[in-house]
Amino acid sequence: MSAAHPTPTRDPSDAISLAVTQINSGRVDEAEKLLSSIISETDKRTPNLGAHVARGTARALRRELQGAVEDFTLAVEHAPTFADGWKRRGQARSAMGQNQEALEDLQHAIDLFPDTDAKAECHTERGMVYQKLHDFARAVKDLKQAVKYQPKNLQAWNLLGLCQTSMGDIQDGIRAYQRAIDLQPNHREAWVNMAQARKEYGHVAEAEAAFTKALSLDDPKNPGVHAIRVLAQMKQGLGDHWAAIRVLTKTIELDRNPERIQCLFLRGACQHALGYHKEAVHDYERAFSIDSSNKEKVSDEARAQQFLAFYQKELALYIRKHLDDPVTAFCLDKDLHPIFKEQWCKKAPPTHEMIVRYVMQPPFPSEPSTVAPADQKQVRQLVDGADAIGAVLVYRHQGFLPNKRQLRMGGLATLEMAQTLRHLVAERQAGRKVMVDTGGASGGGFDARSGQHEFSWRDAMDIPVRWRQLSEPNDQVIWVDLLTKAEFEAGFGSHTPMFSGQTKCVRYYMNFERALRLMKEVIAQEGHTFDAKNKPVPLASEDKQAEVQAAKTAADMWKAIGKDSWVVVPIASTSRPGHTMEGTRLTIVKVPTQPDAFEFSIRTPVTPPRWKDFEQEFQELWEGLMQALAGGHKPLIAHAALTYVYYWYNFMPLARGTAVTGYITLLAIFLAADMPITAFIPKNYQVDWEAILARSPEPFIQSVSPWLYPPAARETLQSSPSGQGLTADSARTEDPLADMITPAQDGTPSGAVAGSSQAAPPTTGDEEGGAVKGEGMSSNADNQGGHTNASSGLQAVPSPESSGTEAKTSVTSSAAKAAAPAPTSFGSSTSGMGVAAPPKLPNVATLLDTMRKRIEALNGPALPRI
């Protein structure tokens, strides 16, 4: 008689014990046959519950989940107090996706189990179900109970950390992961989770150490691809694209790589940013060529990156085609078709309209470049200065990484913009207009490709925008008005959540309470919100107002309003007293795919009427800023600068990049006025949000100025600055400041102090009666008629109102006759301002006059030429 096939007369308990032994030793098929034979010989009126529970367990292990549920159901129906039956059915139902039923079964088990270890197991299982449902709050509650009952529950600690980080409570998650690691130091999953949490928080060294530990626990021939990809993403986020490429290259060709598409796309993006376009195109093409027939399952994330790979490939070819063209002719926003940019921004597959209308970029050129590189000594000098300037751009808050490439970009953009502002003021003082080619400018519409126009606020903003587009071409930094007409009219715009689902957004949740208070203020003032169809939602009644004002969470606010809705934050115009403009929209919606989940965000749809309103404001702001710079009164310049960027932040005219381009503009204006900003942004402070959550420039200025203003900007004004004109004191002249960043003999910029908390401020020059020295400045005041400034690519023509010799200026005659600068001068012409001489750095527009030279400057001398 075979042990696997007992006769009906065999003691069933012995057979069940044998089957359990078989299950525990992995002989599940044999166990199920044995148990089925016992059940078939048992009186169905008095079923053998032990046999059914054991067979249910065997079926669950074989993924015969429906059969397992049937066995466990029979057990609990005949023995309602059998806790283990409820637990096992709950586990099987969870595996089947019957989540609500699983939660109910597990709660029955918790209520019935007398011992805490069993309860802990059930709480852990419930935590897993809630985590799967993205109901992180309830998951955390269950998992905390599990570790309370069972402090050494490794699985519960790791899962608790995962749920806490998913809620945005990164520090709590890190502590939970550490408890898991303390219990099992070589627990790879906990190390990977720890590394990702540290990365999200911005703990770079700790994150890299955790990634290294996790990867050391892998089989060298089969490393964890996901951990490698996230490590590479961190390297990219730090601006170390070359290191990211090296990390990814180790894993892309592995036989088993479930994230091959994502790895290829990321490596392509890194090569693209560094200007290695041929290699980038190759990776992009490989990424979007993979499909399911290659025996690699394509996830939703991978599919989206395949679409992006197509757009990025086209962008790489476009950049390569124009790599040696003059920078002044480069305008990605005009050169690329609006339908292409729209689909790229949406990360959506190409539409039929795009396929019909978009002309593909030509293939990679085969001829090597014959263009001579920029003077490397001057490039190094310029980059050193840019690095010192860009160091103050860092947001010191969780979620932000110190991206050295973006900081260098910010420094270079600041220098170019400051040099341009000095040139513009000089020409204004000389009575000349500065003209630019329309074809290389983003203003004037998609079809404006010929002729010239007078330099405007938008041409100034093209400088940092162009640099931002170049430094990380994987980001959709696009002027919104140059998308398709339909998309522009529909209100394409930015969307930044502070709270999404049940998650505190790591970077921006710090602004939640202030934004909620602002929403309450607007509702109290307006008496309504707007729903998804833009119809008013009345909230003026006393009861509704009380409910709104009592709201403390996004859920409270949504329940008080009763539906998805939004309010517009009204902001006051500076140039048109009494006129109100549309600031951002504070939006609250219920998330339908997640229990008890809401999103509270800023959404800023940029429509043609809103664009026209802001454009009118910027025309006046620009004129006020230029007057302030020409007048030379530094407190007025500071006030005008902060007012200007306040409206830029609220305008949000770019699909991405509004925040950094705004702060670059601020740095540039102050630098042009010879009062460089050397203070770092305070910890847990976000400049753009200070503007977005203020209803006029003044609260923003009051918040920013105490820590940002250099000493020269703090002087007491004879009258309150309005930004609309200059006081009598504004025409006074000042002594020049010494060079802000004079290259030292060893190549180290003297303005940078190693290990200091701030960049070193400029020193003061010798005072000589308040006149501006001429040293280091050139003068165009004696030039008659039009001319082209080779350093900036800007053309100046005499103003109809005055000639160059009649231009009003606050400088002395000796300053106006200063000799032309050496090639390393910061500015290209006499400032004409009652401020100091420009720092002696190479002219950015002259030295880095092609996209190739700019990419190589961003790369630094250590990387191969492109």
Side-chain angles (χ1 to χ4, degrees):
M1 180 172 55
S2 170
H5 302 285
T7 64
T9 59
R10 180 169 180 160
D11 185 348
S13 61
D14 290 341
I16 293 171
S17 296
L18 175 60
V20 170
T21 301
Q22 291 172 333
I23 291 171
N24 291 336
S25 63
R27 296 156 60 192
V28 178
D29 291 345
E30 292 180 42
E32 184 179 356
K33 290 178 182 178
L34 174 57
L35 292 163
S36 294
S37 69
I38 295 171
I39 290 169
S40 67
E41 299 298 331
T42 305
D43 187 343
K44 290 182 173 52
R45 290 173 296 181
T46 56
N48 188 315
L49 300 186
H52 279 284
V53 171
R55 189 175 70 171
T57 302
R59 285 175 164 178
L61 290 171
R62 297 182 63 222
R63 307 303 293 174
E64 294 180 9
L65 298 173
Q66 184 57 48
V69 168
E70 291 171 2
D71 276 323
F72 297 138
T73 297
L74 187 145
V76 298
E77 285 177 347
H78 283 78
T81 61
F82 181 42
D84 198 57
W86 290 105
K87 182 194 78 172
R88 291 175 186 272
R89 190 174 74 168
Q91 291 171 326
R93 282 178 158 176
S94 172
M96 293 177 69
Q98 297 175 358
N99 298 308
Q100 192 56 46
E101 295 87 346
L103 291 169
E104 292 171 1
D105 283 352
L106 291 165
Q107 187 59 55
H108 274 300
I110 290 169
D111 295 339
L112 291 168
F113 273 125
D115 63 290
T116 55
D117 282 351
K119 288 178 182 291
E121 188 178 350
C122 292
H123 279 295
T124 302
E125 190 70 39
R126 278 171 58 89
M128 293 172 65
V129 175
Y130 280 129
Q131 190 266 342
K132 184 168 55 174
L133 292 170
H134 290 186
D135 193 347
F136 305 118
R138 287 186 173 87
V140 166
K141 184 178 178 181
D142 264 305
L143 292 164
K144 283 185 174 180
Q145 193 63 47
V147 297
K148 179 182 178 181
Y149 284 143
Q150 207 172 46
K152 294 185 178 181
N153 188 327
L154 173 65
Q155 183 185 24
W157 279 116
N158 187 54
L159 190 59
L160 175 61
L162 190 61
C163 292
Q164 288 173 324
T165 54
S166 295
M167 293 181 71
D169 297 323
I170 308 296
Q171 289 284 48
D172 291 341
I174 288 172
R175 284 190 285 268
Y177 294 140
Q178 189 59 55
R179 291 294 297 269
I181 290 168
D182 290 343
L183 290 168
Q184 189 177 120
N186 287 337
H187 192 275
R188 183 190 179 279
E189 185 180 350
W191 277 112
V192 171
N193 290 337
M194 174 71 86
Q196 292 189 90
R198 292 287 192 183
K199 169 186 172 288
E200 284 299 308
Y201 204 76
H203 293 168
V204 175
E206 295 90 340
E208 182 144 15
F211 278 121
T212 301
K213 176 63 177 179
L215 293 170
S216 74
L217 299 172
D218 287 337
D219 178 354
K221 295 181 180 179
N222 187 30
V225 172
H226 181 71
I228 291 174
R229 179 164 73 99
V230 177
L231 174 60
Q233 287 173 335
M234 185 177 78
K235 296 288 188 184
Q236 180 196 35
L238 291 166
D240 195 350
H241 293 64
W242 190 251
I245 291 168
R246 293 199 306 268
V247 169
L248 290 164
T249 299
K250 296 176 182 178
T251 189
I252 283 176
E253 305 306 331
L254 291 172
D255 291 336
R256 295 176 58 190
N257 185 345
E259 300 184 23
R260 195 182 312 277
I261 291 172
Q262 295 95 317
C263 290
L264 282 166
F265 175 81
L266 181 56
R267 188 174 71 174
C270 291
Q271 291 173 147
H272 186 170
L274 297 178
Y276 305 134
H277 298 110
K278 185 174 184 178
E279 295 82 359
V281 168
H282 179 67
D283 277 346
Y284 288 145
E285 288 179 338
R286 284 185 64 190
F288 66 68
S289 297
I290 295 174
D291 59 32
S292 299
S293 64
N294 294 89
K295 299 180 181 180
E296 297 191 34
K297 184 179 180 181
V298 178
S299 65
D300 291 341
E301 179 198 29
R303 183 63 71 190
Q305 293 201 351
Q306 285 186 306
F307 299 142
L308 276 175
F310 166 74
Y311 300 117
Q312 293 297 130
K313 184 263 296 185
E314 289 294 293
L315 284 164
L317 290 172
Y318 163 78
I319 292 289
R320 195 72 191 189
K321 176 183 175 182
H322 297 282
L323 200 59
D324 294 315
D325 292 350
V327 168
T328 52
F330 175 85
C331 185
L332 180 152
D333 288 273
K334 279 187 176 177
D335 290 344
L336 295 174
H337 197 283
I339 189 66
F340 174 91
K341 293 181 295 181
E342 178 185 321
Q343 296 304 108
W344 177 41
C345 288
K346 292 179 177 179
K347 303 177 183 179
T351 62
H352 175 73
E353 180 185 8
M354 179 186 151
I355 293 170
V356 170
R357 300 180 65 182
Y358 175 68
V359 178
M360 300 279 283
Q361 297 294 323
F364 194 86
S366 56
E367 302 83 7
S369 171
T370 58
V371 177
D375 182 284
Q376 291 306 295
K377 183 178 179 180
Q378 288 197 27
V379 171
R380 177 62 183 272
Q381 185 181 352
L382 187 61
V383 165
D384 284 346
D387 287 347
I389 293 169
V392 302
L393 274 163
V394 178
Y395 271 179
R396 296 188 294 162
H397 181 63
Q398 64 182 30
F400 292 95
L401 296 175
N403 188 313
K404 64 181 182 182
R405 187 178 183 85
Q406 296 290 49
L407 299 182
R408 178 172 293 173
M409 174 278 297
L412 288 166
T414 296
L415 282 169
E416 183 180 1
M417 195 173 189
Q419 290 167 345
T420 301
L421 288 172
R422 281 187 171 273
H423 172 69
L424 291 168
V425 172
E427 295 304 302
R428 170 182 284 254
Q429 296 286 7
R432 291 187 288 268
K433 293 181 179 180
V434 175
M435 308 300 291
V436 293
D437 291 333
T438 300
S442 68
F446 177 71
D447 295 323
R449 297 178 180 276
S450 60
Q452 292 188 324
H453 64 273
E454 186 175 358
F455 193 100
S456 70
W457 70 269
R458 183 148 178 178
D459 298 299
M461 300 312 298
D462 271 341
I463 295 171
V465 169
R466 188 182 287 121
W467 274 106
R468 180 63 180 84
Q469 289 171 333
L470 192 66
S471 64
E472 189 55 81
N474 191 42
D475 294 339
Q476 295 85 9
V477 182
I478 296 293
W479 287 92
V480 172
D481 66 325
L482 293 178
L483 295 172
T484 62
K485 180 181 179 181
E487 195 64 31
F488 183 33
E489 291 177 347
F492 186 95
S494 65
H495 170 213
T496 307
M498 290 162 275
F499 191 91
S500 181
Q502 294 185 6
T503 302
K504 304 178 186 77
C505 296
V506 174
R507 290 185 174 185
Y508 306 117
Y509 181 73
M510 62 171 282
N511 303 295
F512 172 78
E513 290 187 7
R514 290 178 58 200
L516 190 65
R517 286 199 303 272
L518 182 56
M519 188 175 197
K520 292 178 183 180
E521 290 175 16
V522 175
I523 293 174
Q525 177 180 326
E526 304 290 338
H528 64 267
T529 60
F530 294 93
D531 64 16
K533 296 181 179 179
N534 299 332
K535 294 182 178 179
V537 180
L539 298 168
S541 71
E542 186 175 339
D543 289 346
K544 275 295 181 185
Q545 282 291 327
E547 197 175 351
V548 165
Q549 298 304 318
K552 295 182 179 180
T553 66
D556 293 341
M557 182 60 80
W558 192 93
K559 290 170 185 174
I561 298 169
K563 59 172 63 178
D564 296 351
S565 61
W566 52 271
V567 297
V568 174
V569 178
I571 62 173
S573 166
T574 294
S575 66
R576 294 161 288 172
H579 178 67
T580 300
M581 304 170 65
E582 284 191 20
T584 192
R585 288 186 182 182
L586 296 171
T587 305
I588 187 164
V589 299
K590 186 174 177 60
V591 178
T593 58
Q594 200 174 351
D596 299 331
F598 303 87
E599 181 185 276
F600 187 63
S601 63
I602 57 169
R603 293 175 181 259
T604 311
V606 185
T607 58
R610 186 175 182 274
W611 190 282
K612 184 177 180 181
D613 198 21
F614 270 89
E615 193 162 39
Q616 183 176 346
E617 190 75 13
F618 271 103
Q619 289 169 357
E620 297 296 329
L621 291 169
W622 177 251
E623 179 59 27
L625 175 63
M626 296 306 295
Q627 286 185 24
L629 285 167
H633 192 275
K634 292 183 178 181
L636 273 178
I637 295 170
H639 190 275
L642 285 173
T643 302
Y644 183 91
V645 298
Y646 166 81
Y647 287 99
W648 174 259
Y649 287 136
N650 277 281
F651 187 13
M652 292 193 189
L654 306 175
R656 287 191 67 172
T658 297
V660 71
T661 52
Y663 203 69
I664 287 168
T665 301
L666 196 63
L667 294 177
I669 296 169
F670 276 77
L671 183 58
D674 233 336
M675 46 178 181
I677 294 170
T678 59
F680 287 100
I681 298 168
K683 189 175 181 181
N684 300 327
Y685 189 99
Q686 297 175 5
V687 179
D688 53 325
W689 283 82
E690 292 297 313
I692 292 165
L693 298 180
R695 297 177 63 175
S696 70
E698 291 308 321
F700 169 65
I701 294 171
Q702 290 169 11
S703 172
V704 172
S705 59
W707 61 265
L708 178 136
Y709 273 9
R714 301 177 188 276
E715 298 175 17
T716 303
L717 296 174
Q718 290 185 353
S719 62
S720 176
S722 66
Q724 302 306 300
L726 304 177
T727 65
D729 189 50
S730 66
R732 67 182 177 82
T733 59
E734 297 182 8
D735 288 352
L737 298 177
D739 297 342
M740 184 188 70
I741 305 174
T742 303
Q745 291 183 353
D746 61 357
T748 303
S750 61
V753 179
S756 66
S757 61
Q758 291 188 335
T763 56
T764 306
D766 297 331
E767 297 183 2
E768 295 180 2
V772 175
K773 287 185 178 180
E775 290 85 349
M777 299 190 295
S778 66
S779 173
N780 295 319
D782 295 332
N783 293 339
Q784 301 294 318
H787 74 280
T788 298
N789 186 322
S791 66
S792 64
L794 309 177
Q795 185 181 37
V797 297
S799 167
E801 293 81 10
S802 64
S803 68
T805 55
E806 297 170 337
K808 293 181 180 180
T809 178
S810 59
V811 298
T812 63
S813 58
S814 61
K817 297 177 181 179
T824 55
S825 172
F826 166 89
S828 57
S829 60
T830 299
S831 70
M833 302 157 60
V835 293
K840 293 179 179 178
L841 285 175
N843 184 278
V844 177
T846 302
L847 184 64
L848 306 179
D849 58 347
T850 68
M851 306 313 285
R852 182 192 299 273
K853 293 175 183 177
R854 295 194 168 201
I855 295 172
E856 290 183 339
L858 288 170
N859 291 352
L863 296 186
R865 289 201 66 207
I866 62 176

